[in-house]
């Protein structure tokens, strides 16, 4: 074996892919054979108590790969320092759990490192409690290798008895001594405890070649390049200094330069080979589509991290689809105001959106226009019927960089944007026409008149832009509901699902009358809101009722007002008609004390969204919180509890408030709406109702929230559920 310098440490390095495969293999490794394994655990002062505890953990890790059983692998342990001490013989503990528990209880003894004496103990006593060489014997020495005396002769005699010796380095080992202790070939029998997974794999891989059963299907023991690193102390020339030397001339000296050196610790890499068991990585086959990232989860398991708009299945199939038939024109700002970077971002967004929503038989026609001082339509509406040719045309779009004349562009699009849509003699082309404006720079010409001209020609306008142009986009669309604002460049891509919903809402603006829904409004009635603003909130809730069909089979609505405590104005099953609700809301009181949204959400979870109070199993559930943002500090945990039980929490905040706190309550930016004033609240009513109705279409878990009363357990069946009751009776465990 190569003799390494005294001051050295060694690590075995593999690339990330190999580490993943070694880790996957470690879940399957189980050396099942008749085998006696004796650990020699270094408990000397040079190891120290901290490293001794790590040695014990490592020994437990090695036990994980041994099938410990009276008829198969038996394990014993000796701690050595000045003298060897038998901790337990091989025939005392006969299960893996017993051995690992006993190893945890071993106490550090301390003393000098007499490795040779420990080996002589083994030569004299054999393997205590072993099977007298009738089965293969394995000795695992865990040490830093710094023995007080010579170990070479004792180590050779141990190996002559056909005992397989593994030397495991701990702390800062003296590797050349560990090589002397270990069996040949040393690269298979010298391990490093610093990487427990790798070392356990190395032990198993070496034993698999002789005594252990074969590896699992698909896994194999193979040699692979690895890197051994040593930290060595070397002498290097630091420079020269002036020194005096003798001269042949009498009474004369001459000045010369003399070298001086310093000692330095350097990391030296030694390419080597390692023998390890590797199992195929489940991500090798690249199962994730559409730019998804594969994340392995052990042997044969993985999950895909999908881009926004994908995740229709576990392999990142498109999740969205524009099933609505529309003529769709994207109007992209290509002016100097958006910059080249912004223009390229819009191109990427456009491609990602269309890849996510365009199926093979998609009923929509797509075109793209771009503008600055002038307007061009490089991709006419309906020109491409397949996604591939459309993507190539989008790639070919070039940045122009002139002025930002959004008003002029809108006027031009209204007149010329859709005239080339194919019209067949036998098919009447009456698809809705949608214009999506992409910009984040303010227009240099007026937009209000031009936008009205567009809308008057029955074109449906949607604005997508940064928060700096929110007001202008709302002026263009005429409706905040049709304005999509992103907070930062990455957030733009998170808006893909929202844009898809907006485009398809042109066909179905209401879309909520027939949705089954249990809906609770939680209204802040605290002093922080004030009486006048509370009355505006109450009016908002009152007018929202008109968007729903109130009856037992479709929508049920409850109202909770809260200050420091929550008060149920009416429960889900109290009123069964719109007229009854409208009368009831006028009686809702203003409370006027401090606000605690957390207590309101807890109240809704425990006392409103329950079967006893009219909540229906199998029906989507949502809570809309209307607040000025005060008293939200205690609301994050109850909100998460509601979400965990399948109840959407939608937070509407009026005025300035701490966004981070609110985001924790809403759980996602998609469920948080910020409105600048109470007067503006009415403009956002359609948007809020639409978001609620969209959520009401998602699949429902019949057991969330639990419909069973009195600690009953809900058991799902195909399309149904039943309650398993304990001490109670009835379909929902309601009778004692």
């Amino acid at each position: 074996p190569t003799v390494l310098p005294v001051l050295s440490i060694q690590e075995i390095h593999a690339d990330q892919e190999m580490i993943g495969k070694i880790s996957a293999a470690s879940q399957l490794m189980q050396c099942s054979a008749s085998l006696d394994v004796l650990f020699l655990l270094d408990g000397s002062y040079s190891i120290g108590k901290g490293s001794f505890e790590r040695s014990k953990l490592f020994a437990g890790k090695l036990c994980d790969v041994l099938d410990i059983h009276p008829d198969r692998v038996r394990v014993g342990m000796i701690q050595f320092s000045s003298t060897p001490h038998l901790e337990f013989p091989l025939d005392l503990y006969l299960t893996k759990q017993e051995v690992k528990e006993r190893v945890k209880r071993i106490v550090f003894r301390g003393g000098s490192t007499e490795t040779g004496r420990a080996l002589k103990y083994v030569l004299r006593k054999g393997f205590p409690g072993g099977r007298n060489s009738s089965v293969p014997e394995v000795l695992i020495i865990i040490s830093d290798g710094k023995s007080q005396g010579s170990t070479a002769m004792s180590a050779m005699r141990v190996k002559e008895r056909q005992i397989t010796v593994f030397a495991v380095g701990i702390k800062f080992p003296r590797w050349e001594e560990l090589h002397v202790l270990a069996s040949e070939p040393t690269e298979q029998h010298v391990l490093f405890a610093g990487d427990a997974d790798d070392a356990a794999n190395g032990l198993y891989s070496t034993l698999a070649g002789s005594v252990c059963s074969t590896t699992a299907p698909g896994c194999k023991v193979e040699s692979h390049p690895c890197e051994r690193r040593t930290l060595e102390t070397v002498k290097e020339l630091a420079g020269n200094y002036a020194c005096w030397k003798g001269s042949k001339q009498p009474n004369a000296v001459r000045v010369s330069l003399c070298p001086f050196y310093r000692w330095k610790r350097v990391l030296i890499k030694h390419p080597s080979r390692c023998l390890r068991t590797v199992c195929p990585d489940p991500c090798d086959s690249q199962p994730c589509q559409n730019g998804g990232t594969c994340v392995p989860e052990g042997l044969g398991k993985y999950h895909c991290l999908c881009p926004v708009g994908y995740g229709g299945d576990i392999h990142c199939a498109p999740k969205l689809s524009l099933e609505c038939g529309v003529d769709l024109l994207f109007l992209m700002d290509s002016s100097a105001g958006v910059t080249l970077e912004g223009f390229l971002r819009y191109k990427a967004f456009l491609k990602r959106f269309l890849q996510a929503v365009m199926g093979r038989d998609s009923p929509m026609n797509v075109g793209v226009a771009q503008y600055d001082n002038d307007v061009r339509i490089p991709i006419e509406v309906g020109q491409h019927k397949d996604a591939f040719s459309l993507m190539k045309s989008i790639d070919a779009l070039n940045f122009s960089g002139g002025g930002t004349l959004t008003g002029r562009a809108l006027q031009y699009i209204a007149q010329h944007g859709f005239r080339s849509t194919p019209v067949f003699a036998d098919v009447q082309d009456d698809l809705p026409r949608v214009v999506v404006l992409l910009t984040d720079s303010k227009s240099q010409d007026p937009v209000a008149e031009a936008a009205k001209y567009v809308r008057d020609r029955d074109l449906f306008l949607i604005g997508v832009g940064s928060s700096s142009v929110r007001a202008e986009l709302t002026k263009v669309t005429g409706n905040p509901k049709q304005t999509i604002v992103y907070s930062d460049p990455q957030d733009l891509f998170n808006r893909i699902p929202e844009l898809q919903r907006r485009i398809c809402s042109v066909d179905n603006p209401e879309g909520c009358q027939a949705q089954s829904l249990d809906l609770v409004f939680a209204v802040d009635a605290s002093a922080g809101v004030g009486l006048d603003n509370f009355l505006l909130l109450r009016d908002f809730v009152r007018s929202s009722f008109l968007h729903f069909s109130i009856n037992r089979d479709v929508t049920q609505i409850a109202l909770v007002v809260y200050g420091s405590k929550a008060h149920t104005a009416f429960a889900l099953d109290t009123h069964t008609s719109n007229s009854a609700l409208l009368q009831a809301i006028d009686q809702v009181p203003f409370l006027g004390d401090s606000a605690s949204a957390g207590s309101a959400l807890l109240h809704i979870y425990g006392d409103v969204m329950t079967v006893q109070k009219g909540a229906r199993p199998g029906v989507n559930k949502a809570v809309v919180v209307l607040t000025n943002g005060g008293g939200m500090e205690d609301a994050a945990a109850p909100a998460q509890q509601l979400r965990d039980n399948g109840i959407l929490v939608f937070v509407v905040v009026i005025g300035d408030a701490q966004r981070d706190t609110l985001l924790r309550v809403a759980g996602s930016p998609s469920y948080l709406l910020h409105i600048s004033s109470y007067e503006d609240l009415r403009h956002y009513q359609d948007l809020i109702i639409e978001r609620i109705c969209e959520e009401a279409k998602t699949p429902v878990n019949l057991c969330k929230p639990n419909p069973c009363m009195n600690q009953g357990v809900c058991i799902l069946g195909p399309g149904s559920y039943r309650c398993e009751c304990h001490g109670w009776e009835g379909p929902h465990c309601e009778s004692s």
Side-chain angles (χ1 to χ4, degrees):
T2 305
V3 177
L4 300 177
V6 173
L7 291 169
S8 64
I9 58 170
Q10 172 180 308
E11 297 171 290
I12 296 172
H13 287 260
D15 61 35
Q16 286 302 313
E17 182 183 0
M18 185 58 69
I19 288 169
K21 292 182 178 181
I22 287 172
S23 177
S26 68
Q27 297 180 38
L28 284 183
M29 294 187 304
Q30 190 74 212
C31 183
S32 189
S34 292
L35 190 65
D36 283 351
V37 177
L38 180 63
F39 283 91
L40 277 185
L41 205 60
D42 188 342
S44 65
Y45 288 131
S46 67
I47 284 283
K49 194 169 187 314
S51 290
F52 181 75
E53 291 301 318
R54 284 194 289 278
S55 296
K56 286 163 52 179
L57 286 171
F58 177 73
K61 183 75 177 177
L62 292 188
C63 288
D64 284 336
V65 304
L66 302 173
D67 185 12
I68 298 173
H69 185 275
D71 300 327
R72 294 187 286 277
V73 182
R74 294 186 185 182
V75 172
M77 185 166 287
I78 292 171
Q79 180 182 174
F80 72 93
S81 50
S82 304
T83 57
H85 172 77
L86 179 64
E87 295 290 351
F88 57 90
L90 285 102
D91 56 357
L92 184 57
Y93 299 112
L94 302 176
T95 69
K96 187 177 298 188
Q97 195 57 38
E98 287 176 349
V99 170
K100 291 181 73 171
E101 286 298 324
R102 178 64 183 88
V103 170
K104 284 180 187 174
R105 297 199 302 274
I106 292 175
V107 176
F108 176 64
R109 301 177 74 82
S112 58
T113 314
E114 299 285 353
T115 313
R117 184 176 288 182
L119 293 174
K120 287 174 185 172
Y121 178 92
V122 172
L123 287 166
R124 190 171 65 253
K125 300 270 191 180
F127 275 38
R131 285 167 275 190
N132 299 322
S133 304
S134 62
V135 300
E137 294 177 325
V138 174
L139 186 67
I140 301 176
I141 305 169
I142 304 178
S143 172
D144 62 358
K146 297 173 184 174
S147 179
Q148 305 302 119
S150 173
T151 60
M153 186 58 70
S154 300
M156 186 176 71
R157 289 177 60 196
V158 166
K159 287 179 274 189
E160 283 173 352
R161 290 200 186 178
Q162 304 303 309
I163 297 171
T164 302
V165 183
F166 286 88
V168 182
I170 192 79
K171 200 177 178 184
F172 297 105
R174 186 172 293 174
W175 288 103
E176 78 282 6
E177 190 165 314
L178 293 176
H179 278 74
V180 170
L181 295 173
S183 295
E184 296 282 353
T186 52
E187 64 266 20
Q188 294 179 24
H189 292 87
V190 175
L191 305 169
F192 180 50
D195 187 344
D197 271 335
D198 183 80
N201 189 311
L203 173 73
Y204 173 84
S205 302
T206 303
L207 293 176
S210 53
V211 295
C212 298
S213 53
T214 55
T215 53
C219 301
K220 58 188 176 189
V221 178
E222 62 179 41
S223 173
H224 67 88
C226 59
E227 192 176 84
R228 299 178 186 272
R229 296 183 178 189
T230 59
L231 196 62
E232 301 178 6
T233 302
V234 297
K235 181 180 177 183
E236 71 171 11
L237 180 67
N240 296 295
Y241 65 97
C243 59
W244 302 96
K245 290 191 175 180
S247 171
K248 291 179 181 178
Q249 298 173 5
N251 303 318
V253 293
R254 79 184 161 85
V255 178
S256 182
L257 289 176
C258 297
F260 68 95
Y261 299 89
R262 65 182 169 204
W263 295 94
K264 183 180 178 185
R265 300 185 83 190
V266 294
L267 194 67
I268 299 178
K269 300 176 182 178
H270 304 281
S272 185
R273 296 200 71 79
C274 296
L275 192 78
R276 296 291 183 265
T277 298
V278 294
C279 291
D281 191 309
C283 291
D284 282 350
S285 60
Q286 298 181 322
C288 305
Q289 302 157 4
N290 300 310
T293 303
C294 182
V295 180
E297 294 178 337
L299 193 74
K301 295 180 181 175
Y302 63 90
H303 69 270
C304 294
L305 296 175
C306 303
V308 175
Y310 297 91
D313 65 13
I314 60 166
H315 296 125
C316 300
K319 149 169 96 172
L320 309 170
S321 64
L322 278 182
E323 292 169 357
C324 52
V326 292
D327 286 344
L328 177 60
L329 179 65
F330 287 91
L331 179 58
M332 291 172 61
D333 187 346
S334 178
S335 69
V338 299
T339 71
L340 174 60
E341 182 186 1
F343 179 73
L344 293 176
R345 189 182 306 125
Y346 282 142
K347 278 175 61 171
F349 170 77
L350 196 51
K351 287 173 64 178
R352 180 88 64 85
F353 175 80
L354 293 171
Q355 284 168 340
V357 303
M358 270 190 87
R360 184 169 294 171
D361 302 316
S362 178
M364 68 174 174
N365 301 305
V366 179
V368 181
Q370 59 184 103
Y371 74 94
D372 43 65
N373 298 313
D374 299 310
V375 190
R376 295 166 299 291
I377 308 179
I379 305 171
E380 302 277 359
V381 174
Q383 182 179 333
H384 298 289
K385 276 298 179 186
D386 66 286
F388 180 73
S389 60
L390 182 57
M391 296 305 140
K392 284 181 68 176
S393 296
I394 292 170
D395 280 334
L397 298 177
N398 292 315
F399 178 62
S400 46
T404 313
L405 301 184
T406 308
R408 180 177 175 179
L410 289 167
Q411 187 100 17
Y412 182 89
I413 288 303
Q415 294 167 350
H416 308 289
F418 293 89
R419 62 182 181 173
S420 62
T421 304
V423 178
F424 299 97
D426 56 342
V427 178
Q428 180 62 38
D429 182 18
D430 57 355
L431 293 177
R433 293 175 168 183
V434 179
V435 177
V436 178
L437 172 65
L438 288 166
T439 182
D440 67 356
S441 60
K442 290 183 177 169
S443 179
Q444 294 166 342
D445 66 345
V447 295
E449 282 300 316
K452 185 174 185 303
Y453 178 73
V454 173
R455 296 196 300 271
D456 288 347
R457 292 174 70 96
D458 288 331
L459 298 183
F460 187 73
L461 266 171
I462 298 170
V464 179
S466 62
S467 49
S468 63
V469 292
R470 180 198 296 267
E472 186 170 285
L473 286 177
T474 303
K475 204 181 290 183
V476 169
T477 61
N479 188 341
K481 169 180 152 184
Q482 287 158 233
T483 301
I484 299 172
V485 173
Y486 58 91
S487 55
D488 57 62
Q490 184 51 46
D491 189 43
L492 170 63
F493 294 91
N494 297 334
R495 301 296 156 195
I496 287 175
E498 190 177 348
L499 177 57
Q500 184 254 353
R501 285 194 298 270
R502 292 282 168 277
I503 291 169
C504 284
S505 70
V506 63
D507 263 346
N508 184 17
E510 289 299 320
C512 219
Q513 292 294 334
Q515 295 296 134
S516 293
L517 182 66
D518 284 345
L519 177 61
V520 179
F521 283 94
V523 180
D524 187 341
S526 67
V529 169
L531 176 59
D532 290 345
N533 291 331
F534 172 74
L535 295 176
L536 290 173
L537 291 179
R538 202 172 71 175
D539 287 345
F540 172 81
V541 174
R542 191 178 200 280
S543 62
S544 297
F545 292 164
L546 301 172
H547 289 259
F548 299 94
S549 176
I550 309 298
N551 65 59
R552 288 267 189 272
D553 298 319
V554 188
T555 303
Q556 294 187 144
I557 294 183
L559 177 60
V560 171
V561 291
Y562 69 90
S564 57
K565 294 181 180 176
H567 167 70
T568 303
F570 45 83
L572 287 166
D573 59 354
T574 304
H575 300 297
T576 56
S577 69
N578 288 74
S579 57
L581 279 178
L582 294 173
Q583 286 178 1
I585 196 165
D586 292 335
Q587 315 303 318
V588 174
F590 174 64
L591 303 177
D593 55 357
S594 60
S596 170
S599 61
L601 294 177
L602 282 173
H603 173 77
I604 289 167
Y605 177 76
D607 205 49
V608 179
M609 285 289 194
T610 62
V611 172
Q612 303 95 300
K613 297 295 172 70
R616 297 164 293 173
V619 171
N620 281 98
K621 293 172 173 55
V623 176
V624 178
V625 182
L626 295 165
T627 175
N628 69 343
M632 301 295 283
E633 298 78 15
D634 60 349
Q640 188 59 50
Q641 186 179 27
L642 287 164
R643 279 192 293 277
D644 290 344
N645 283 275
I647 302 169
L648 168 73
V649 179
F650 196 82
V651 181
V652 180
V653 185
I654 300 97
D656 295 328
Q658 187 62 41
R659 181 176 171 82
D660 289 348
T661 306
L662 298 166
L663 202 51
R664 283 196 295 274
V665 178
S668 161
S670 302
Y671 304 123
L672 175 62
L673 184 61
H674 227 122
I675 300 170
S676 54
S677 69
Y678 288 89
E679 288 73 21
D680 287 344
L681 185 58
R682 57 194 172 88
H683 298 305
Y684 288 84
Q685 187 170 57
D686 286 349
L687 176 62
I688 294 166
I689 301 298
E690 183 190 303
R691 290 291 289 112
I692 296 166
C693 297
E694 187 65 34
E695 288 298 324
K697 297 173 185 173
T698 56
V700 179
N701 183 332
L702 292 170
C703 284
K704 284 190 174 183
N706 185 2
C708 310
M709 304 179 202
N710 301 307
Q711 283 77 52
V713 179
C714 181
I715 310 293
L716 272 176
S720 64
Y721 70 93
R722 63 182 176 82
C723 288
E724 198 173 82
C725 306
H726 303 286
W728 297 78
E729 295 178 347
H732 294 105
C733 309
E734 68 274 17
S735 308
S736 59

